[in-house]
Amino acid sequence: MEHKHYTNINQIPKPPAFTMSRGLHFIYLGLVIIGIEAFLIALRSDPDRAWHNFLLNYFYWLCLSLSGLFFVALQYVTGSMWSTPLRRVPEALIGYLPVAFVLLLILFLGKHHLYEWTHLDEVLHDPILIKKSAYLNFSFFAARNFFSFLVWGLVGFWLVKNSLKQDRNGDVKLTKLNKKISAPFLVVFGITFTVMCFDLLMSLEPHWYSTIFGIYCFAGLFYSGMAITILFVVAMKKQGALADVVNENHLHDLGKFMFAFCVFWAYIAFSQYMLIWYANLPEEIGYMIRRTEGAWTPVALALLFGKFVIPFFLLLSRDAKRNEKFLVAVAVWVLVFQWLDCYWMIFPLLGEKPVFGWQEIGIFLGFLGLFVLTVTLVLQKIPPVPMKDPRLLEGVNHHQ
Amino acid sequence: MEQVLTLDQEPLLGPKKTIADVNEDVCKPMERFPSKAWWVVFGIAASILTMGLGLVAYQLHMGMGVWGLNHPVGWGIDITNFVFWIGIGHAGTLISAILHLFRQRWRTSINRAAEAMTIFAVMTAGLFPLIHLGRNWFFYWLLPYPNQRGSLWVNFRSPLLWDVFAVSTYFTISLVFWYIGLIPDLASVRDRAKNKVRRLIYGILALGWRGSQRHWNHYEIAYLILAGLSTPLVLSVHSIVSFDFATSLLPGWHTTIFPPYFVAGAIFSGFAMVVTLLVIVRKVFQLEDYITLVHLENMNKIILVTGMMVGYAYGCEFFTAWYSGNIYEWFTFKNRAMGPYAWAYWTMVTSNVIAPQLFWSKKLRRSIPVMFVISLIVNIGMWFERFTIISTSLHRDFLPTNWDIYIPTFVDWGYTLFSFGFFFTFFLLFCRFLPTIAMSEVKSTMHVGRKVPEGEEYVF
């Protein structure tokens, strides 16, 4: 493929704005309605299942949004150039955070269906849970979640605001400022994200603990975050907004990241599983038994093959990562198995047999519609390429 | 043409260097008679090495009792040193493999010395399990092979055996990687040789390298493949070392975060050692224009990042020890922070988490004295991290009647000193006989041979 080499930032053609057709808008809106309906009906027939679905999707889509925030901050800190032309995609992913905050408030309503430690009568009869109640109590839980959202929201808003401001005035100082914001933010992010994972997922089984859990969730976050970024980048490239500035070398790099985190996730998942299996301690092994034995064996195996083995081989070759269609297919695949990973962490609490029905599909579709609508609304509003970023020229000319 | 620099980019090398200068400057120290300073340092290192060999003989004669180990503390400074040196050996492969895959071109000035350090550090680390065997002459029993001892096999379920595989694989790949990278430079040294013996030796080592396009093509492909192969090894070796502890049932050892935590710690200590060594090397061999502040600053950034990862692991472990509600787990951590080894624990926290925070300041991370001192502090801190993990979990186990304290004897300390003598002997020999900077790779980052803006001149 022939690439234009630009010698000056002014030569780069102004990209057309990103638009999504009205029809698609209505389809996604329809999905949201389906999701609300499914959740409301499920709430009446089987509230436990409805709330577990809600938690699953809340966590899943929040991670995708946070992946954008993390990626933007990381690119500023490392001074990356290759990712500049496509940076608006992860910036737009941040736009879902306010929506997620509203969903968090809804999630709080279902706390008794999800978290054993919110039942005072049970905590009082459990010596271990009494000890933990200094941490696992609802007001502190809510405060931690609010604090995390406050930090993510403020920093996300600030970074994007500076980036958009630069589109107008081209001030190099804004890039430097964003770098200064991003570095300490990444530290705070590491802590707040870990706390959130411990709170939302690990405390579902309040007796169980695993120090690697935050890293496990982070591996999934970055892995699936690359997948969703690839999908939006390709959509914008097809539609024309990124056609002149993003080429297969950018896709190749996104694909490499996805490949790297495929292996990293496997490494972390193996470390957690193997150490718990090997030590076989009663306070830890229950978690793995519930998730790998009986009817859950196929799910665990599907995760092993679907999230690691198959994408590993699919993404291994250079051509695979540079082929737009192929990469999109793998990205969709990865997103499916990220969902399965969350399902595998959350649903064994509902019963010894995995369940899958209209509730899972419907509620997932609702969140999908909400997420895509929010992100595309943001993308339509902002210029699709940071045209005055000092690193744009190098990024557009990225030929490996 | 002036190198085009984007925001925050700085030229990697000092000003006005030509391709010929690279060969001249890098090979100069190898081609002259060693300086007095080199002899003095080499003499000290070799003497310590010799003393260490004496200690090995003493221990072989007297038995394991000469160590400070006792009943609950079966692992002490020996394993501390093993883990410490394995950790040091991580920066080299990270620099040469992972940074290569991340297109970090600044790695070119430092990768050679870092890889050499890796190889010698792994060799040093390998000494300790061998010494610890007790009956050292049966060292080959570590390897699984069909035998006539009633067909006695190694225990494949033991992480100690996985260590044998992991460390030897890592050593082999690192050595091959290092050697492949050396070939073009060895050919340069051969071509510059003034006497026949030198030309013969370097000629054999250079494997007939002629620098043809075909040679380069094969070389680049081999290098990329080896980089890909080494990348998982950077993670695997220290993960498996961490399994030695984490597969056990001991509070403070058995925790799931150990693999990534050990890897981060290894990279952290490895980079600290690279900074320590290169600050000296660039000064002594006058390579300030090749190993510039840009390289050092980048390494200091990695030290800052990995230091915080290690801090995250300390915090996460401590919190989870409380959160678990397990009284043994919680006791072990209280004992670490407030028990008889509290001094070691707080040395570790101060050196590894607090000291590197100074690198947030650009001024401090570009100051040679500051980075030299911090790199030493980090090295000490990481040694104490391993000491803390090993000793505090062992010396007070589940039954208070078993409790004891571990006090290293002169043999333990002697072996620690010995490891430094062993390492530095090899490293000093490397500085004498091989190019300390990858000349061919540094040249690829130079903007020479392109048009100079004023006239039509070319710089070669």
Side-chain angles (χ1 to χ4, degrees):
Chain A
M1 208 165 139
E2 195 82 355
H3 296 302
K4 244 186 165 168
H5 188 91
Y6 301 100
T7 49
N8 189 307
I9 197 163
N10 298 323
Q11 290 174 348
I12 303 168
K14 196 175 181 310
F18 177 68
T19 49
M20 196 168 73
S21 68
R22 270 182 96 82
L24 273 175
H25 270 121
F26 278 116
I27 291 176
Y28 284 115
L29 205 60
L31 291 181
V32 177
I33 293 165
I34 291 175
I36 295 172
E37 287 289 330
F39 180 63
L40 290 177
I41 298 170
L43 212 49
R44 248 189 268 161
S45 59
D46 187 350
D48 278 0
R49 189 166 166 187
W51 282 113
H52 281 77
N53 266 306
F54 193 88
L55 173 66
L56 191 168
N57 283 291
Y58 169 75
F59 183 78
Y60 179 85
W61 297 101
L62 176 60
C63 280
L64 291 181
S65 170
L66 287 176
S67 80
L69 181 54
F70 180 80
F71 190 72
V72 169
L74 186 69
Q75 301 307 305
Y76 274 115
V77 170
T78 52
S80 294
M81 291 178 281
W82 69 274
S83 60
T84 317
L86 52 88
R87 201 184 59 225
R88 282 290 139 84
V89 171
E91 281 176 358
L93 294 179
I94 304 172
Y96 176 74
L97 279 181
V99 181
F101 182 71
V102 177
L103 296 170
L104 175 73
L105 299 178
I106 300 173
L107 182 75
F108 284 169
L109 299 176
K111 62 179 191 283
H112 291 305
H113 293 277
L114 293 164
Y115 300 106
E116 185 193 340
W117 51 264
T118 57
H119 299 265
L120 266 183
D121 48 328
E122 278 182 49
V123 172
L124 287 174
H125 292 101
D126 192 320
I128 300 256
L129 289 190
I130 289 179
K131 271 199 229 169
K132 293 191 183 193
S133 61
Y135 183 81
L136 288 183
N137 59 72
F138 185 70
S139 36
F140 194 22
F141 172 86
R144 289 191 300 266
N145 271 294
F146 286 152
F147 176 76
S148 301
F149 259 100
L150 189 71
V151 177
W152 301 334
L154 284 181
V155 174
F157 180 73
W158 198 9
L159 288 176
V160 177
K161 197 188 89 182
N162 288 339
S163 169
L164 293 175
K165 206 166 147 194
Q166 196 175 46
D167 278 8
R168 297 191 294 275
N169 62 16
D171 193 351
V172 179
K173 272 189 206 137
L174 289 167
T175 303
K176 293 185 171 167
L177 175 65
N178 269 3
K179 185 178 181 174
K180 284 207 173 110
I181 300 167
S182 298
F185 169 70
L186 287 176
V187 181
V188 179
F189 179 79
I191 299 165
T192 47
F193 181 71
T194 307
V195 168
M196 183 191 82
C197 295
F198 275 42
D199 283 349
L200 288 183
L201 299 187
M202 206 163 93
S203 80
L204 284 169
E205 288 181 54
H207 291 269
W208 182 73
Y209 52 90
S210 169
T211 40
I212 207 174
F213 196 74
I215 305 171
Y216 180 89
C217 293
F218 170 75
L221 170 136
F222 202 90
Y223 187 19
S224 58
M226 283 300 102
I228 196 89
T229 307
I230 288 170
L231 294 186
F232 274 105
V233 166
V234 172
M236 286 177 79
K237 195 162 139 54
K238 278 241 161 92
Q239 185 267 343
L242 294 182
D244 293 319
V245 291
V246 168
N247 57 49
E248 70 270 20
N249 293 305
H250 298 94
L251 291 179
H252 190 184
D253 280 351
L254 289 169
K256 281 184 210 167
F257 257 135
M258 197 159 75
F259 176 71
F261 273 79
C262 167
V263 181
F264 185 72
W265 174 83
Y267 162 63
I268 297 297
F270 173 77
S271 299
Q272 173 168 278
Y273 175 76
M274 196 282 285
L275 290 175
I276 289 175
W277 167 81
Y278 199 109
N280 204 14
L281 288 170
E283 58 263 47
E284 289 181 350
I285 193 71
Y287 182 88
M288 287 303 170
I289 289 177
R290 272 188 291 284
R291 280 162 183 76
T292 56
E293 291 190 0
W296 283 93
T297 315
V299 180
L301 286 176
L303 201 53
L304 166 65
F305 283 94
K307 204 171 179 185
F308 170 57
V309 179
I310 293 170
F312 176 86
F313 286 107
L314 291 180
L315 288 171
L316 195 53
S317 89
R318 183 174 186 270
D319 294 343
K321 287 175 288 229
R322 298 172 75 84
N323 180 329
E324 202 173 276
K325 277 187 188 141
F326 191 85
L327 199 61
V328 164
V330 180
V332 172
W333 175 279
V334 167
L335 286 169
V336 169
F337 281 91
Q338 167 72 6
W339 183 88
L340 192 75
D341 193 5
C342 297
Y343 178 79
W344 182 77
M345 288 193 279
I346 295 168
F347 270 62
L349 287 161
L350 275 185
E352 285 175 8
K353 285 209 177 83
V355 285
F356 188 77
W358 58 267
Q359 293 98 321
E360 282 70 37
I361 298 172
I363 297 172
F364 175 79
L365 290 179
F367 274 86
L368 170 76
L370 193 58
F371 185 83
V372 176
L373 268 186
T374 319
V375 175
T376 41
L377 276 181
V378 177
L379 276 176
Q380 284 173 335
K381 272 207 164 161
I382 59 180
V385 179
M387 288 304 282
K388 288 186 179 161
D389 192 294
R391 297 199 177 96
L392 183 69
L393 186 64
E394 284 279 339
V396 174
N397 285 332
H398 177 39
H399 296 173
Q400 288 205 308
Chain B
M1 188 170 89
E2 276 295 303
Q3 197 175 336
V4 184
L5 298 170
T6 321
L7 185 68
D8 287 347
Q9 271 192 316
E10 289 174 80
L12 286 178
L13 304 179
K16 286 182 189 153
K17 286 289 173 191
T18 63
I19 283 186
D21 288 341
V22 177
N23 280 29
E24 195 56 39
D25 295 343
V26 175
C27 292
K28 202 168 51 188
M30 302 166 54
E31 288 168 348
R32 60 169 186 232
F33 194 73
S35 63
K36 220 182 225 169
W38 186 86
W39 280 113
V40 170
V41 183
F42 183 73
I44 296 171
S47 312
I48 296 173
L49 171 68
T50 319
M51 174 219 72
L53 293 176
L55 273 181
V56 174
Y58 175 68
Q59 185 219 311
L60 282 177
H61 179 69
M62 299 292 288
M64 298 286 284
V66 295
W67 289 7
L69 300 176
N70 53 37
H71 186 55
V73 189
W75 280 358
I77 279 189
D78 47 344
I79 303 299
T80 304
N81 284 330
F82 165 69
V83 183
F84 174 75
W85 284 106
I86 287 279
I88 297 291
H90 267 64
T93 319
L94 184 99
I95 290 170
S96 46
I98 295 188
L99 294 188
H100 181 61
L101 298 182
F102 273 103
R103 295 194 295 261
Q104 297 296 309
R105 301 179 85 199
W106 59 274
R107 62 181 267 289
T108 51
S109 292
I110 52 169
N111 67 346
R112 173 68 45 72
E115 283 176 59
M117 183 198 78
T118 290
I119 288 161
F120 306 139
V122 174
M123 282 161 59
T124 315
L127 290 174
F128 286 94
L130 292 182
I131 296 171
H132 190 96
L133 287 176
R135 280 182 276 175
N136 318 54
W137 49 94
F138 288 132
F139 74 93
Y140 55 90
W141 285 14
L142 286 168
L143 302 170
Y145 63 96
N147 58 67
Q148 284 148 19
R149 303 189 292 272
S151 202
L152 187 65
W153 285 88
V154 289
N155 183 2
F156 285 105
R157 291 179 188 177
S158 163
L160 299 180
L161 180 73
W162 309 343
D163 259 350
V164 176
F165 301 144
V167 175
S168 53
T169 310
Y170 185 62
F171 179 71
T172 314
I173 296 278
S174 301
L175 190 66
V176 172
F177 200 15
W178 183 59
Y179 188 71
I180 298 265
L182 265 171
I183 289 173
D185 285 2
L186 288 169
S188 299
V189 179
R190 171 199 65 196
D191 296 342
R192 292 168 58 92
K194 297 236 162 55
N195 70 58
K196 271 189 182 158
V197 181
R198 195 177 169 87
R199 178 168 306 166
L200 182 73
I201 294 172
Y202 283 103
I204 291 170
L205 289 173
L207 303 177
W209 178 267
R210 288 286 173 272
S212 70
Q213 202 261 322
R214 187 178 288 246
H215 280 179
W216 278 111
N217 197 13
H218 288 165
Y219 169 87
E220 291 286 343
I221 292 170
Y223 201 86
L224 186 63
I225 290 176
L226 280 168
L229 286 176
S230 320
T231 301
L233 288 178
V234 178
L235 296 178
S236 74
V237 183
H238 228 65
S239 297
I240 289 176
V241 170
S242 81
F243 291 166
D244 292 346
F245 304 101
T247 52
S248 70
L249 305 177
L250 214 53
W253 281 15
H254 174 74
T255 180
T256 47
I257 205 173
F258 256 33
Y261 156 39
F262 267 47
V263 171
I267 293 165
F268 179 54
S269 66
F271 267 89
M273 192 59 119
V274 179
V275 169
T276 313
L277 293 174
L278 288 188
V279 163
I280 301 171
V281 165
R282 75 195 275 275
K283 183 87 197 154
V284 173
F285 294 133
Q286 287 140 23
L287 295 171
E288 281 104 333
D289 282 338
Y290 299 94
I291 302 167
T292 60
L293 278 178
V294 181
H295 302 97
L296 296 170
E297 187 190 0
N298 282 343
M299 288 196 279
N300 291 336
K301 284 180 185 168
I302 294 184
I303 290 177
L304 175 63
V305 171
T306 46
M308 284 189 287
M309 288 182 183
V310 171
Y312 169 91
Y314 296 162
C316 194
E317 269 190 316
F318 221 107
F319 170 74
T320 311
W322 174 83
Y323 177 85
S324 70
N326 180 328
I327 50 169
Y328 302 102
E329 195 78 32
W330 182 228
F331 169 78
T332 303
F333 278 85
K334 275 197 298 190
N335 185 45
R336 267 188 198 177
M338 293 180 286
Y341 288 113
W343 56 275
Y345 180 80
W346 292 108
T347 307
M348 152 188 132
V349 173
T350 322
S351 320
N352 295 347
V353 186
I354 298 169
Q357 301 303 324
L358 290 178
F359 284 153
W360 280 99
S361 145
K362 193 177 178 81
K363 213 174 181 180
L364 294 178
R365 65 174 183 255
R366 290 177 81 96
S367 149
I368 302 277
V370 171
M371 72 175 82
F372 188 68
V373 171
I374 291 185
S375 73
L376 289 177
I377 292 177
V378 167
N379 278 315
I380 294 168
M382 283 308 288
W383 192 89
F384 275 104
E385 178 195 299
R386 280 65 177 250
F387 180 78
T388 304
I389 292 171
I390 292 170
S391 303
T392 58
S393 283
L394 287 173
H395 88 117
R396 287 184 173 172
D397 62 6
F398 299 98
L399 283 177
T401 46
N402 283 343
W403 289 5
D404 206 341
I405 193 103
Y406 165 62
I407 298 162
T409 63
F410 80 97
V411 180
D412 294 277
W413 292 121
Y415 273 132
T416 308
L417 201 59
F418 166 50
S419 68
F420 282 90
F422 185 90
F423 175 80
F424 279 103
T425 306
F426 279 97
F427 195 79
L428 286 162
L429 288 173
F430 155 74
C431 292
R432 274 298 306 153
F433 291 110
L434 292 169
T436 44
I437 288 180
M439 298 185 278
S440 61
E441 291 201 50
V442 165
K443 287 173 198 164
S444 74
T445 66
M446 297 171 80
H447 285 247
V448 285
R450 298 189 187 178
K451 264 184 196 167
V452 186
E454 301 90 36
E456 295 293 301
E457 279 174 76
Y458 285 84
V459 187
F460 278 108

